Amino acid sequence: MPNSAGSTSPVPRPEDTPAATRPDPWAAVRRRGAAFVARPYWDPGLPALVVRRWPDLTACLTALFFFWLSLTPSLVPRPWYYQGVIGGITAAIGYGIGATLSGLFRLLFAWRPPPAVRARSWLSLYLITPPLVILLLSQSADMQRELRRLQALPPTLTWHSLMIALMSLGVAALLVAIARSVRLGTRVLTRLLHRFVPWPVAVGLALSLSSIIVVFGTRDVVFERGVLSVADRVAAAKDRSTDEGVLRPFSPLLSGSPDSLVSWEELGNKGRSFTGGALSGEEIARFNGRPAQTPVRVYVGRAAYDDYAAGARLAVRELERTGAFDRSVLAVAGTTGTGWINPTTVEALEFMHGGDTAVVTMQYSYLPSWASFVVDREEAGRATRALVDAVHARWEREPADSRPKLVVFGESMGAQAVEAAFDDMDDLLARTDGALLVGPPDGSPVHREVTRDRDPASPVWRPLYRDGAHVRFAQFPERDLRLGAADWEHPRVVYLQNASDPVVWWSPSLMFQRPEWLREPLGPDVTEAIDWFALVTFWQTTVDMAVSYGAPAPHGHRYGSNPVDAWEAVIPPAEWHAADTGRLKALLELRHPPRSGFTGKPE
């Protein structure tokens, strides 16, 4: 560049500048790094920042431990997104426990860790958490693959470790933020009350009021007026609809026909599917190779009656109109919440007895089973008891030597409803000619009695009751129905019960009590890696119920064509052979193939 004298001088270069005077581009980075190492957490020291306060170290460690527990296997394989939800819920529970313990320690003891110790602890947590989570997720995927092998699923597994970690973190953070918001609201309320009452009284009142608000808001506003209200509207709309391919029957032997006392519109969605999809005598004859009758199917929808007694009387009149008491087999069925009956169970009975059967049931609700379990579980038992009592009273009026065999059956909530119609197992055996109960929930009263009083040394997942004289349990019927030292007498009761069925084993007691189904020996399709952890196992089994249809029968809550074997044992048909059982099972699996995936619930 020219200077004032017209000469030029060289442009200064960075390397010509003395090192002591050159700016260091990494100095700011090093300063921030050193500050982070000295204090790797945000600590503003403002008590008012409740929601945005930095997490507690003890609580984070406890949350990490609970997240690890959530990765252990449960009864059925689960997809990665459900694992993310379980991980978040259980991590939040762990965080709450850890925060409570930490708060109690600070309240009782004055000692606090030095800043250097606290900083090193946080740095250690930052360093070990990512590789530890990766390792835990990898081991969890291996355990899920083993469980899939036990339940006849392909070993391939989509296990998005990163998405599981992020989803768990998001769910846990949301739950912790909600809990902190409640805590902040309680603190503000305490200060407001302290203007009028002493501090201890203000604290007690604030805690009581906030608890009432949380419980009321969660149960009444969010759940009952929110979730249940939406479920009710959706289920009501579904109940008014008719499934594709279902047509109104014109046979007088079926409810909803022009001759029926129950109109087609009053049947509801599941009732229309039940009678509109009924077998004909011709179909049964083609399978059996001999003449057959068209079965009787009586269904009383919830819209057809005002109270259970009236509905039961209407069902009896329908049975009389159709000539059901002249058939060789009369079956009373319990339905699930929506009014669903497993068509495989019904058709197995009809095929085996040449259509010389009558099946009757009464819908008590149109809600899905989970909602029905919450709001009207007792109603299922009352409705089914009214139906069973009315049918039994009318059945008893028939001559003893010519009246039909009277049997009862139900699946899932339907099994629980059927059991509620009887005082105990002795009452069931005394008033019926047999029963088939499939996948009964934990609250089923007779099932609970039989399981509790089972013979010593028999496992809870395959109980032996009174040497198998009248009652037997099966997951693999060809083998399990032979268990028992006594001769199998009539009447017979068969429970189809999978060792891996979470619907059978779910109970609130799982939160704080180790269940019997985890005692050795474990069920044939339950992995040895399973274990019980307080609170965690409860949430795992809760989610298991949502994915219990993901495994093929006989695993999870799927029972496939096993009702064929069960009916053959409960009420043996004439002129029936083992080859016929195999053919019928194959036919029913083709007629009613299970839906695939983890959402293939048949209701």
Side-chain angles (χ1 to χ4, degrees), residues 164-374:
I164 291 174
L166 292 177
M167 184 179 290
S168 298
L169 181 62
V171 171
L174 176 63
L175 294 176
V176 170
I178 292 172
R180 287 189 171 189
S181 299
V182 173
R183 181 181 175 186
L184 177 61
T186 305
R187 178 176 291 187
V188 172
L189 183 60
T190 302
R191 290 173 181 159
L192 291 175
L193 292 172
H194 185 43
R195 298 177 182 178
F196 310 100
V197 296
W199 181 256
V201 178
V203 171
L205 287 175
L207 289 173
S208 300
L209 288 173
S210 62
S211 299
I212 292 172
I213 292 171
V214 169
V215 171
F216 174 81
T218 302
R219 186 193 65 187
D220 295 0
V221 178
V222 176
F223 192 69
E224 292 187 0
R225 300 184 187 179
V227 175
L228 286 180
S229 178
V230 171
D232 180 76
R233 289 196 295 270
V234 172
K238 174 67 174 178
D239 195 57
R240 292 190 295 269
S241 68
T242 303
D243 290 345
E244 184 178 355
V246 175
L247 300 176
R248 183 185 184 186
F250 285 88
S251 168
L253 300 176
L254 302 171
S255 292
S257 67
D259 301 289
S260 175
L261 302 177
V262 183
S263 70
W264 178 246
E265 292 73 21
E266 291 173 328
L267 289 179
N269 176 270
K270 301 304 180 185
R272 286 190 283 273
S273 296
F274 178 67
T275 63
L279 292 170
S280 67
E282 291 77 10
E283 290 177 283
I284 298 174
R286 282 197 300 270
F287 175 81
N288 288 343
R290 54 183 179 272
Q293 302 182 55
T294 295
V296 171
R297 290 192 182 184
V298 170
Y299 193 101
V300 179
R302 187 63 186 88
Y305 64 91
D306 294 324
D307 57 72
Y308 299 140
R313 289 193 297 270
L314 178 58
V316 170
R317 293 202 303 274
E318 269 284 88
L319 289 173
E320 291 174 332
R321 181 192 65 79
T322 57
F325 293 99
D326 296 326
R327 298 298 176 107
S328 63
V329 178
L330 172 59
V332 181
T335 73
T336 62
T338 59
W340 176 80
I341 299 177
N342 190 339
T344 298
T345 307
V346 176
E347 291 180 5
L349 183 68
E350 294 171 339
F351 272 112
M352 296 176 82
H353 290 274
D356 192 14
T357 60
V359 177
V360 58
T361 192
M362 186 170 74
Q363 181 188 23
Y364 66 90
S365 172
Y366 52 73
L367 290 172
S369 288
W370 66 266
S372 178
F373 179 83
V374 173

Side-chain angles (χ1 to χ4, degrees), residues 456-481:
S458 62
V460 69
W461 46 267
R462 192 73 66 246
L464 190 62
Y465 182 71
R466 298 177 182 174
D467 266 346
H470 289 280
V471 182
R472 298 192 181 182
F473 289 73
Q475 178 172 353
F476 305 98
E478 298 92 344
R479 179 190 67 197
D480 296 338
L481 291 180

Side-chain angles (χ1 to χ4, degrees), residues 146-158:
E146 170 62 16
L147 186 56
R148 291 173 67 86
R149 184 190 66 79
L150 287 173
Q151 299 187 8
L153 285 165
T156 54
L157 173 69
T158 302

Side-chain angles (χ1 to χ4, degrees), residues 71-143:
L71 295 173
T72 57
S74 49
L75 286 169
V76 293
R78 52 183 178 262
W80 65 268
Y81 41 88
Y82 278 111
Q83 178 56 57
V85 173
I86 294 175
I89 293 174
T90 52
I93 293 172
Y95 187 93
I97 293 174
T100 301
L101 295 175
S102 182
L104 289 174
F105 181 87
R106 289 192 298 269
L107 184 65
L108 297 174
F109 303 97
W111 181 85
R112 301 289 183 272
V117 173
R118 187 181 179 192
R120 292 191 187 98
S121 299
W122 274 108
L123 288 172
S124 299
L125 180 64
Y126 297 151
L127 290 173
I128 67 171
T129 297
L132 179 60
V133 169
I134 292 172
L135 175 63
L136 295 176
L137 286 168
S138 175
Q139 292 179 338
S140 177
D142 291 339
M143 290 185 285

